[in-house]
Amino acid sequence: MTSKRILVIDDEDDILKLVQTCLEIMGGWQVITAHSGREGLNLAQDNQPDAILLDVMMPDEDGLSTLKKLQSNTITSNIPVILLTARGRFVEQKFTQLGVRGVLNKPFNPLKLAEQVEAALA
């Protein structure tokens, strides 16, 4: 049985390491990480992950621009995306209208992260 692969795109090293640890240990995911939208787009095309966890607020190319590029690329358009945001719950409805599978708010509970990712993808 192959493990599920998830691409995590976030510009903060600490967040990447925490998410990677949580998803690998508690969720059984194989985690691929990217520090920018551009790097994430390339990794998504090359690795075809089962899901993408995408930070909304990043320098250079933000998460929403990255999302649009993922959705417009035939190679990556069917990969489910979950947004990770510090913007708060009041904009959650706006994000779900973008065709994402879910929205997780920062700060998140590390012990529940894998469970929340699974629920969003179910």
Side-chain angles (χ1 to χ4, degrees):
M1 181 179 141
T2 60
S3 64
K4 307 167 285 187
R5 284 180 297 157
I6 189 165
L7 170 60
V8 181
I9 306 171
D10 197 305
D11 61 307
E12 296 180 51
D13 278 335
D14 292 343
I15 298 290
L16 280 177
K17 289 175 186 170
L18 178 61
V19 170
Q20 181 173 10
T21 300
C22 292
L23 293 178
E24 286 177 349
I25 292 172
M26 293 179 227
W29 288 89
Q30 176 188 351
V31 179
I32 305 162
T33 60
H35 293 88
S36 69
R38 180 173 293 148
E39 182 184 6
L41 290 167
N42 291 332
L43 288 171
Q45 280 189 258
D46 294 344
N47 292 282
Q48 288 292 292
D50 298 299
I52 297 173
L53 186 57
L54 175 61
D55 184 26
V56 173
M57 295 177 63
M58 295 185 290
D60 300 324
E61 185 170 320
D62 68 12
L64 297 181
S65 297
T66 302
L67 175 65
K68 288 177 185 172
K69 289 179 181 177
L70 287 165
Q71 291 173 332
S72 66
N73 183 327
T74 56
I75 297 171
T76 58
S77 63
N78 291 322
I79 301 171
V81 175
I82 300 169
L83 296 178
L84 188 59
T85 181
R87 290 187 176 181
R89 300 182 197 285
F90 67 94
V91 292
E92 193 167 319
Q93 184 177 5
K94 173 188 170 203
F95 288 141
T96 56
Q97 293 170 350
L98 296 172
V100 297
R101 293 295 285 272
V103 178
L104 300 178
N105 291 295
K106 289 181 183 178
F108 54 85
N109 181 338
L111 298 175
K112 294 184 178 183
L113 181 64
E115 182 181 305
Q116 290 173 317
V117 168
E118 291 287 347
L121 295 172

